[in-house]
Amino acid sequence: MTTDTPARLLTLLSLLQTPREWPGGELAERLGVSRRTVRRDIDRLRELGYPVQATMGADGGYRLVAGKAMPPLVLDDEEAVAIAVGLRAGAGHAVEGVDEASVRALAKLEQVLPGRLRHRVATLQAATTPLTSGDGPSIAPETLTVMASTVAGQERLRFAYRAGDGTESRRLTEPYRLVSTGRRWYLVAYDLDRDDWRTFRVDRVSEPFATGARFAPRELPTGSAAQYLRQSMQRRSDSYEAVVAFAAPAEVVAARLPGWLGTPDAAEDGTSCVLRATVSDSVEWLAVRLAMLGVEFRVREPAELVACVRDLGARLGRAAGDG
């Protein structure tokens, strides 16, 4: 019989988080207690915010249902390893939809993983290779988790950084947010040595170190980190302005475009739209990305993108046997 009430509650919660209904008698047998004790433990879980639903019947049953709030989850070893491996695989590339929240979740999970499970996660990831991956540069998940931890904990972050021209430097920053553009991760932070806000490509960061020094967050010059990153890209010399017209409603195009490209402007008739975006990726990449949207479009600017789309169309036509 389990006499340790907290341990018994955790075991009961772990069982209830399995998507099935548990008869009261089976729970009592699993826990080594009476059915009356099971009912009392169920009431304790409800007081803690877990929505446990009871069903009537000869034996009665219990199941965990969706509630208004997200109470803490209890994971067994295999579940914890599976989630950590999945989050690490997604965090390694700036996969669209795997944003800062996912990285924060990974940082929290790895912080509490026992050493034996952390070793299993690292071993499993090292022994597997994904068939496909994002087309952006890969990043060590440890780099992202350290950064996410300092963002959440408002802790100064030190790291080595390699600029686009190859210049190496050491940076001491007050990290503000991690931003995923769909292909790359960026860190928006206040650079203490330069006394100004900066954006850093995370794939150019190495040796990230949480200093332990806390700071009071500064006010960002723009409304959001994503907006600041967008403006920072506009100031870069290797970026260009792209103007593309689509023969489809703005909401349809917006749902298929990477979020970092912005939102297209709807035409008055509501059946077409125009996208104006600042892009730092190659025109070849943008041409392919536009072709994958599955809607008719026409490139207006720049001339380099117009030529690239024309060449791509001709090449695909020849590949299909046209002409």
Side-chain angles (χ1 to χ4, degrees), residues 46-182:
R46 288 170 175 162
E47 292 173 359
L48 293 172
Y50 292 94
V52 182
Q53 185 180 76
T55 58
M56 305 301 293
D59 196 25
Y62 303 95
R63 61 190 296 266
L64 199 63
V65 298
K68 296 181 180 179
M70 176 67 185
L73 295 175
V74 177
L75 305 173
D76 60 28
D77 287 4
E78 286 71 22
E79 293 167 341
V81 169
I83 292 175
V85 169
L87 288 173
R88 284 169 67 97
H93 297 274
V95 180
E96 193 171 355
V98 181
D99 54 12
E100 186 193 351
S102 300
V103 178
R104 288 201 311 269
L106 175 60
K108 290 179 181 179
L109 181 57
E110 293 201 338
Q111 182 179 3
V112 298
L113 278 181
R116 57 186 173 80
L117 296 187
R118 204 170 295 165
H119 175 71
R120 283 177 59 183
V121 170
T123 301
L124 181 57
Q125 189 173 36
T128 57
T129 300
L131 180 62
T132 60
S133 63
D135 55 358
S138 60
I139 303 168
E142 293 81 1
T143 298
L144 285 170
T145 54
V146 170
M147 288 184 167
S149 297
T150 57
V151 169
Q154 297 174 4
E155 185 178 350
R156 288 181 176 176
L157 175 70
R158 189 187 302 276
F159 54 84
Y161 191 70
R162 175 180 51 82
D165 60 3
T167 304
E168 304 277 350
S169 62
R170 303 286 302 183
R171 303 298 183 98
L172 178 62
T173 65
E174 294 177 351
Y176 183 79
R177 287 290 186 276
L178 282 166
V179 181
S180 170
T181 66

Side-chain angles (χ1 to χ4, degrees), residues 228-248:
Y228 181 82
L229 175 62
R230 189 173 295 113
Q231 292 182 0
S232 176
M233 287 180 169
Q234 290 174 352
R235 295 191 295 266
R236 291 176 51 179
S237 59
D238 58 347
S239 63
Y240 57 92
E241 294 294 321
V243 181
V244 184
F246 297 93

Side-chain angles (χ1 to χ4, degrees), residues 5 8-9 12 16 22-25 27-29 31 33-47 50 52-62:
T5 301
R8 189 176 67 248
L9 285 176
L12 174 59
L16 290 174
W22 289 87
L27 287 176
E29 183 179 350
L31 299 172
V33 296
S34 66
R35 296 189 185 187
R36 183 178 181 183
T37 299
V38 170
R39 289 194 294 271
R40 289 178 177 174
D41 287 348
I42 292 294
D43 289 338
R44 291 189 180 99
L45 290 179
R46 288 170 175 162
E47 292 173 359
Y50 292 94
V52 182
Q53 185 180 76
T55 58
M56 305 301 293
D59 196 25
Y62 303 95

